[in-house]
Amino acid sequence: MTFNEFPKIVVKPPGPKAKELIEREKKVISSGLGVKLFPVVPERGHGALIEDVDGNVFIDFLAGAAAASTGYAHPKLVNEVQEQVAKIQHSMIGYTYSKRAIEVAEILAEKAPIENPKILFGLSGSDAMDLTMKVARFATRKPWFIAFIGAYHGQTYGATSIAAFQSSQKRGFSPLVPNVVWIPYPNPYRNIWGINGYEEPDELINHFLDYLENYVLAHVVPPDEVAVLIAEPIQGDAGIVVPPENFFKELKKVLDEHGILLAMDEVQTGIGRTGKWFATEWFKIKPDFISFGKGVASGMGLSGVIGKAELMDMTSGSALLTPAANPVISAAAYATLKIIEEEKVIENAQKVGAFIMKRLKEMQEKYDVIGDVRGKGLMIGVEIVKPDDKPDPELTGKICWRAFELGLILPSYGMFGNVIRITPPLVITEGVAEKGLEIMEQALKDALAGKVTHKVVTWH
């Protein structure tokens, strides 16, 4: 199936069928399930396009939270999954062996920037972070974690315990996992030290390291009792924050001095999203662990941890999850990884990402409300600001709502709700991306002209 016309709005969204389903959901599904960014009910998709239940066709700049890496209905993915489910839909890798799971692990081990790795499998990015916490504590026998303010990490108890994205994420759930210390992320555009990290990256790095060594490790937590520092190489939900190029190199020197392991949360940034197999590669370091998820099976529920072999051997069964890497999901992951490799999807992410960045930089020159444009590959953030450079979540929400009305799924998020998120399927073409950017600019104009009364919902 293909869509010959896009976007295509046949009825003002949300249409009648979507409204009916939304009302039905309210009666039977808890609000805790998620933050409903848009009133859209997808029916089918192709590539980077989604058709809803009312027949509206949208360009998708969200990709299901950056998870639909190979787009929608990729024929190789469809065939692989159909063939596998017709053979056997479940066998439990905790008790038996799985050819497809082994093949997926071999590919991930080959691609990861970790020497001699082993892998644990999970179901979602959240439980991948739980696994990371468990294996780090087991390997080191140390109790403390260091994490970053702005990190999302997930929704299981462990992932929630180390996250510091929105305080509402933790409301009502205490006591959480103890022994976590948070430190500020070196955001070049908006940091607590007031440093322009684009013009003075070394200054920003030095201020961060001074804070870590002379305040946190000297006065808050004994460094010899810290098991691991957990970091996103590029912070995702905080607003696609890219640290200075040498940040992780300098950070790892300090961690190595104190015997602290480094775990990179690549649930969102990994599997080609940033134009590398793993975003860690941009920073030229080799961590001890890498967590993965989202795009590894094109959104179909596989995650895990890649780590140095000597750190990964836990008590037998202590990381066992019944449906993890089951045959169908492993087939989806195998197909995804092969598509990325054989169809040069990573190269496409770099090429189309560069095209989008260029167009956004041009827009930044025209519109003062665009304070910052940043990202790598097809993980791009656009920060919308007021004249005093403070965050403008109201305008951001209106831009994204108008884009939705015009046929573009364009989410907003960030620590202050003022960052437009561009994470389309990695197979998106320049032509589709260009049309999406045209809609985004029109939505920006309409919002500035006061023509937009609604705004999208985001994290709060």
Side-chain angles (χ1 to χ4, degrees):
M1 180 196 70
T2 59
F3 298 121
N4 296 321
E5 182 184 345
F6 62 87
K8 178 182 172 185
I9 302 300
V10 297
V11 57
K12 184 178 179 180
K17 292 181 180 178
K19 287 179 180 177
E20 180 197 353
L21 285 162
I22 289 166
E23 289 305 310
R24 285 168 59 187
E25 179 184 289
K26 289 178 182 177
K27 296 177 181 177
V28 292
I29 295 179
S30 166
S31 60
L33 186 69
V35 180
K36 301 292 189 178
L37 303 179
F38 298 95
V40 62
V41 184
E43 176 79 357
R44 59 180 61 87
H46 175 77
L49 306 173
I50 285 177
E51 182 180 2
D52 75 1
V53 290
D54 291 289
N56 294 317
V57 177
F58 298 88
I59 296 170
D60 181 19
F61 272 13
L62 175 59
S69 51
T70 59
Y72 303 104
H74 193 293
K76 292 180 182 177
L77 177 68
V78 171
N79 290 339
E80 195 77 40
V81 170
Q82 287 178 335
E83 288 180 9
Q84 182 58 59
V85 78
K87 294 176 181 177
I88 184 170
Q89 86 282 2
H90 177 67
S91 64
M92 215 276 273
I93 63 169
Y95 296 153
T96 58
Y97 297 86
S98 166
K99 177 189 175 192
R100 273 286 181 257
I102 293 166
E103 290 172 335
V104 169
E106 287 172 339
I107 296 171
L108 292 171
E110 177 194 344
K111 303 300 182 185
I114 294 177
E115 295 177 3
N116 189 32
K118 283 188 176 180
I119 292 168
L120 288 169
F121 282 119
L123 306 171
S124 70
S126 297
D127 64 39
M129 300 315 301
D130 283 22
L131 290 172
T132 301
M133 296 167 69
K134 288 180 75 173
V135 72
R137 273 187 172 170
F138 191 85
T140 63
R141 297 301 199 272
K142 298 177 182 179
W144 284 90
F145 302 107
I146 297 177
F148 282 96
I149 298 170
Y152 170 70
H153 292 316
Q155 295 291 357
T156 53
Y157 251 95
T160 296
S161 298
I162 57 173
F165 169 52
Q166 297 290 347
S167 60
S168 60
Q169 188 180 353
K170 300 180 182 180
R171 183 178 290 119
F173 298 127
S174 292
L176 298 172
V177 176
N179 293 62
V180 184
V181 173
W182 291 274
I183 52 179
Y185 200 81
N187 183 339
Y189 181 70
R190 194 181 294 281
N191 58 74
I192 63 170
W193 299 284
I195 297 169
N196 186 327
Y198 295 125
E199 294 182 359
E200 298 182 290
D202 292 340
E203 185 75 5
L204 178 57
I205 292 171
N206 290 336
H207 271 71
F208 169 85
L209 294 177
D210 174 68
Y211 181 86
L212 175 63
E213 291 192 88
N214 297 319
Y215 291 87
V216 175
L217 297 181
H219 301 287
V220 180
V221 59
D224 58 307
E225 292 190 9
V226 177
V228 64
L229 183 145
I230 300 171
E232 295 166 278
I234 296 172
Q235 280 200 326
D237 285 37
I240 304 185
V241 181
V242 184
E245 183 179 355
N246 290 326
F247 170 66
F248 282 107
K249 274 187 179 179
E250 298 304 316
L251 171 60
K252 194 161 189 319
K253 291 177 184 176
V254 174
L255 299 180
D256 289 346
E257 286 176 12
H258 294 289
I260 300 171
L261 301 178
L262 175 61
M264 296 298 247
D265 175 356
E266 293 243 30
V267 170
Q268 184 171 169
T269 58
I271 318 300
R273 170 56 55 189
T274 69
K276 300 278 189 184
W277 275 102
F278 294 95
T280 301
E281 298 171 62
W282 286 110
F283 303 100
K284 298 179 173 59
I285 60 161
K286 293 185 177 181
D288 300 288
F289 306 106
I290 288 177
S291 307
F292 63 90
K294 288 189 183 290
V296 69
S298 297
M300 289 182 64
L302 184 72
S303 71
V305 183
I306 309 168
K308 293 179 178 178
E310 64 268 23
L311 302 173
M312 294 293 285
D313 287 331
M314 303 165 67
T315 301
S316 178
S318 60
L320 181 154
L321 297 166
T322 299
N326 69 67
V328 177
I329 298 306
S330 294
Y334 181 80
T336 297
L337 296 171
K338 285 300 182 182
I339 291 165
I340 290 173
E341 193 167 39
E342 294 170 0
E343 298 186 9
K344 300 188 183 305
V345 171
I346 290 176
E347 290 85 344
N348 187 69
Q350 289 187 9
K351 178 171 71 78
V352 180
F355 169 77
I356 293 173
M357 286 286 285
K358 179 176 181 294
R359 284 282 285 108
L360 291 172
K361 292 286 188 182
E362 292 168 356
M363 289 171 60
Q364 186 180 15
E365 292 294 318
K366 293 168 61 178
Y367 304 99
D368 292 339
V369 296
I370 299 180
D372 195 25
V373 176
R374 56 196 181 235
K376 295 279 191 185
L378 286 171
M379 185 176 181
I380 298 168
V382 181
E383 184 152 345
I384 304 299
V385 298
K386 298 176 181 179
D388 60 2
D389 208 39
K390 290 184 178 179
D392 195 340
E394 184 78 13
L395 179 60
T396 309
K398 289 181 176 180
I399 294 168
C400 294
W401 180 266
R402 182 60 179 143
F404 170 63
E405 290 182 326
L406 295 173
L408 173 66
I409 296 176
L410 185 71
S412 68
Y413 69 165
M415 287 182 70
F416 309 102
N418 71 313
V419 177
I420 294 172
R421 173 185 192 173
I422 300 176
T423 56
L426 303 182
V427 296
I428 192 170
T429 64
E430 280 191 14
V432 175
E434 171 62 24
K435 185 63 179 176
L437 292 169
E438 289 174 5
I439 294 173
M440 176 180 162
E441 185 168 9
Q442 185 60 52
L444 173 58
K445 290 178 181 178
D446 290 349
L448 288 172
K451 297 180 180 179
V452 187
T453 57
H454 288 72
K455 62 180 181 178
V456 300
V457 176
T458 188
W459 283 91
H460 54 83

